[in-house]
Structures are given as structure tokens and as C-alpha cells.
Amino acid sequence: MRIVYLHQYFNTPDMAGGTRSYEFARRWASYGHEVHVVTTSGDSRGCSGWRQEVVDGINIHWLRVPYDNRMSYARRAYAWTRFALRSSLRARRLRGDVVFATSTPLTIAIPGVAATLGKRSPMVFEVRDLWPEVPIALGALKNPVLRGLARWLERFAYRHSSAVVALSPDMSEGVRRAGYQGPVHTIPNASDLELFDVGPEHGKAFRDERPWLGSSPLVVYTGTFGRVNGVSYMVELAAECAARGSSAKFLAVGDGAEWDQIKSLADRSGVLGRNFFMERSLKKSQMPSVLSAATVGASWVIPVPALEANSANKFFDCLAAGLPIVINYGGWQRDLIEAEGVGIALHASNVSDAAESLVDFLDNSPALRSAGISGRRLARSRFSRDNLAAQLRGILETAAPNQSNEQMKGR
């Protein structure tokens, strides 16, 4: 089966960011499927046109379209539109047996539909965020005309989808609320068990390279410094913990529009370089050492209910690493934490109360050990990348029309 995989922000392990698409695509290629990923590249190699290469059996089609979390919404919308139009022709020429289009952005539906029109190949649409619910809730789509256009694009995507894949149970419910009548499957982000199964020497080396860390408990955040991520909460938490005499250190690793703002806030709060530290984004392949050195891993979002449906990569990385998890939001991940005992959920608005809960947790070695063991067990039983890749492959195979061996060979 030839799979055309549309994802505007595809990353390999040698790049910073989530690798969901890479991990699934390389597994499908190892099963014998021909996988073509159509995506963007922000680097300056080559010309402004397409560049193609094969990575771990995946045929990757790169189009240079600069994109950055620091861009204005208008500039980001321009990047989405540019890729949607250019990739439509590319995807159509690839003649996939099935087209798998993953959002965000929602404009990915345009090349997805373009690749299937007049053909027997169906589109399976993946929802990574509830668009346009999230940008509307954040106030990014204030213009009623743009809101209407976004709603139309959402209905357009669903209307042309043979099946929809959502990254959380809450997102699946959101898809159904939008009126989609077809099959909706929940395939959350996954835990890369082999990648994060590293010895303690990796964590020791990470700590040895940072004299400020020593043997102190470490709370680590690895992700984007964007508006929705609310990393300022971590700065406030660090200040409250320091006021309580805690020896805990806080490390935020990543990049984004609010990097300078977070650094300035930490400096004004008196925690920058004291118990709060910042480092730029690391490759996914370097994350096991970071999590091996940590005492707990953190995931934050600002208090907007629409964001609670998220399926943060960092959450599942922590499970894979056997690292206790700390969050500050509700929704299905909070329910999972409380049901499975893999960490704690902190108060979102009362940071003083949150700091007290965190300090107690960091001082409770048996609870930390139990949470880590439970997390690793949960990763194996429910969120293994191998298992979820196989489930998603089954969805694509079911959606694709049957092809004879002769037809497949004639591609």
C-alpha cells in the first residue's frame, strides 16, 4: 500500500520537536508499505522548491516554508496557505492508495482532499488539536468572517474523510460534536519505550555537565515556550518552592515566542540562575538523558478548558522514561494520572498550594518510585508506540480500497 502522509511539521529524531509522524511512518515502511511524507523544511539548504530524500525507509518530500512560533498569526496563516497550495499538486502526483492528513493546521485538509478528488484513494484525517475551537478560545480568531471560514474548513475536512483519528478521548468527542458521522478512532501520542530505556549513567552525565544541579531534585519541562504552554506558571512555582526552603531545581528546555518573556519574569522573580534554569531546544534523541536526570517531568497549559483535550508528547515521554508526571490542568490526562497513580495534578490558580503539594511529592521517595513504576507499566500496556502504530496502520488499511498485487506492482 502506498501511503501519502501529509504533515506540515514533520520531525526526525535529529530535529527538535515531536516525532509522532516519523515513528509511525518508519514502522509502516518496515511493514512493507511505501510511505511518502509531504512536509516543510525551515532550513536554507537547496532552492525554494522541493527536496526529496529517504530517511529510515520513509520517502520525505521537503518544501522550504519558514515557520516559527514567534511569527504573528497572519504570517503563520500565510505559511499554512502556501504549503497547502504547493503540497496539493505534490500529493496528487504521488497517487496514494490512502492519504493520511494530520492537523494542525486545519489547512492540511486542502492538499488532503486535492490528492483524492477523482480517485479511489480515500483520506483519513487526524486531529491533533480541536481547531478552530482552540484559536477561538484563545482569541486568535476574533474576526467573524475568519471564524466562519475556519468552521467551514473544519466541516470540509470531515465531509471528505473516510475516517477521523483523534489524539485524545476529549478530541474524539469534539469531532462528534462538530457533526461528523463517520468512524472516529482515538490514537493518542505514544511512548517510545526503547528510546527512553536508558541506564542511570545518562542522567548522571547530564547532571555532571551542570554544576548548579548537583544532587538536587529536578523538575523538568521540555516543550514550546508559547502562549498556550504557560511556562510562567513554572517560574512562579520555582519562586514559591524557594520561599519554602526547598532545594528543588527547575529546568525549562525549549524555545518559542515567550522565551524572552519567561527569562525576564524569572529574573524579576529572583529565581533565574538560582533555582530556575533555561536551555534551548534539544533534539528528540537527546531527551532520554534529560528525563533520566529528572526527578519529575512537567506539562503545563494556561487555564483554558479547550486546551485540556491536548495529548502532549512530553506526557508520554515521561511515561516511557518511568518518570513521575506533574501537570496543572484538568481533562483526560488528569483523570489518567489520578486513576493510575503516575504523578500529581497541581492547582492551576493557587500556586502557593501547588508548591506545597509539589514539595511534599518531591520529598516522598516511595511515592516517586511508585509513580515511576506505574508510569512505565502504563506506557507498555496502553501507549506503546509499536502497538499504536499497528492500530493506526489497520485504520489506514481498512480505509484504502483493495488493491491487487498486479496493481500495486504497476505503480
Side-chain angles (χ1 to χ4, degrees):
M1 180 172 66
R2 176 179 287 185
I3 303 169
V4 174
Y5 199 155
L6 300 170
H7 181 196
Q8 187 159 348
Y9 307 119
F10 177 86
N11 294 313
T12 69
D14 290 330
M15 303 163 69
T19 56
R20 174 185 175 90
S21 296
Y22 162 83
E23 294 293 350
F24 284 162
R26 75 173 179 87
R27 283 169 171 80
W28 299 337
S30 72
Y31 298 151
H33 294 305
E34 183 181 342
V35 184
H36 290 264
V37 171
V38 181
T39 187
T40 59
S41 170
D43 64 29
S44 57
R45 288 180 290 173
C47 62
S48 60
W50 291 96
R51 175 173 61 86
Q52 186 174 351
E53 65 176 331
V54 178
V55 178
D56 295 332
I58 311 165
N59 300 281
I60 308 177
H61 305 255
W62 304 96
L63 177 66
R64 185 166 182 264
V65 179
Y67 182 87
D68 192 291
N69 182 260
R70 296 179 177 85
M71 288 180 173
S72 66
Y73 195 79
R75 289 185 63 196
R76 280 182 276 176
Y78 171 75
W80 300 331
T81 304
R82 181 183 172 195
F83 176 72
L85 296 177
R86 294 288 300 274
S87 62
S88 292
L89 291 175
R90 190 74 167 192
R92 188 167 179 80
R93 289 169 182 164
L94 288 172
R95 298 178 60 83
D97 298 310
V98 63
V99 176
F100 185 48
T102 181
S103 70
T104 58
L106 196 55
T107 47
I108 200 71
I110 295 172
V113 173
T116 63
L117 287 178
K119 302 174 183 289
R120 294 182 61 230
S121 53
M123 179 178 75
V124 175
F125 191 71
E126 182 175 70
V127 178
R128 294 190 178 215
D129 283 306
L130 284 177
W131 275 48
E133 285 185 27
V134 169
I136 289 175
L138 293 173
L141 280 177
K142 298 179 180 178
N143 187 303
V145 175
L146 292 180
R147 286 190 181 191
L149 181 60
R151 291 293 188 193
W152 175 87
L153 190 55
E154 178 189 36
R155 293 191 297 270
F156 174 80
Y158 295 154
R159 186 167 62 249
H160 290 88
S161 299
S162 295
V164 171
V165 173
L167 266 66
S168 76
D170 294 345
M171 288 186 202
S172 292
E173 287 303 313
V175 172
R176 294 187 180 96
R177 285 197 306 270
Y180 182 67
Q181 300 296 316
V184 181
H185 307 272
T186 302
I187 305 288
N189 271 319
S191 294
D192 297 304
L193 293 161
E194 292 184 7
L195 176 64
F196 286 94
D197 187 15
V198 299
E201 66 275 7
H202 289 263
K204 183 179 184 303
F206 184 89
R207 283 178 172 264
D208 288 345
E209 292 170 357
R210 294 158 179 80
W212 53 265
L213 180 51
S215 59
S216 299
L218 176 63
V219 180
V220 67
Y221 168 87
T222 58
T224 305
F225 286 63
R227 179 188 169 193
V228 302
N229 308 102
V231 184
S232 59
Y233 178 90
M234 190 174 183
V235 175
E236 297 172 13
L237 199 58
E240 288 286 346
C241 287
R244 283 167 167 72
S246 172
S247 62
K249 301 294 194 297
F250 294 76
L251 173 62
V253 180
D255 209 341
E258 293 196 351
W259 170 275
D260 292 334
Q261 178 180 325
I262 297 301
K263 186 175 182 180
S264 177
L265 175 63
D267 190 27
R268 294 195 309 272
S269 301
V271 297
L272 185 64
R274 178 187 173 197
N275 72 332
F276 182 87
F277 301 83
M278 299 170 65
E279 295 186 12
R280 295 289 184 179
S281 297
L282 297 175
K283 299 175 182 178
K284 182 62 180 280
S285 58
Q286 296 174 295
M287 285 300 151
S289 294
V290 180
L291 299 193
S292 177
T295 308
V296 299
S299 180
W300 319 119
V301 295
I302 58 176
V304 175
L307 297 174
E308 294 181 351
N310 82 90
S311 185
N313 281 300
K314 60 185 76 67
F315 185 95
F316 299 92
D317 290 347
C318 289
L319 292 179
L323 184 66
I325 302 169
V326 175
I327 67 172
N328 69 335
Y329 49 89
W332 76 285
Q333 288 183 343
R334 184 188 187 111
D335 294 342
L336 192 65
I337 284 175
E338 294 175 347
E340 301 292 339
V342 298
I344 59 172
L346 302 179
H347 202 292
S349 57
N350 189 332
V351 183
S352 176
D353 178 77
E356 184 176 349
S357 298
L358 179 59
V359 170
D360 288 344
F361 189 49
L362 293 174
D363 289 341
N364 191 337
S365 296
L368 291 170
R369 184 165 52 253
S370 176
I373 293 172
S374 296
R376 180 75 177 178
R377 184 187 304 121
L378 185 62
R380 285 195 302 267
S381 64
R382 290 182 55 182
F383 302 116
S384 161
R385 182 80 69 179
D386 287 338
N387 294 342
L388 294 180
Q391 289 179 33
L392 187 45
R393 177 187 61 161
I395 293 168
L396 298 180
E397 290 174 343
T398 299
N402 292 326
Q403 299 264 330
S404 69
N405 290 334
E406 288 73 24
Q407 286 175 310
M408 293 295 288
K409 292 177 181 178
R411 285 284 182 187

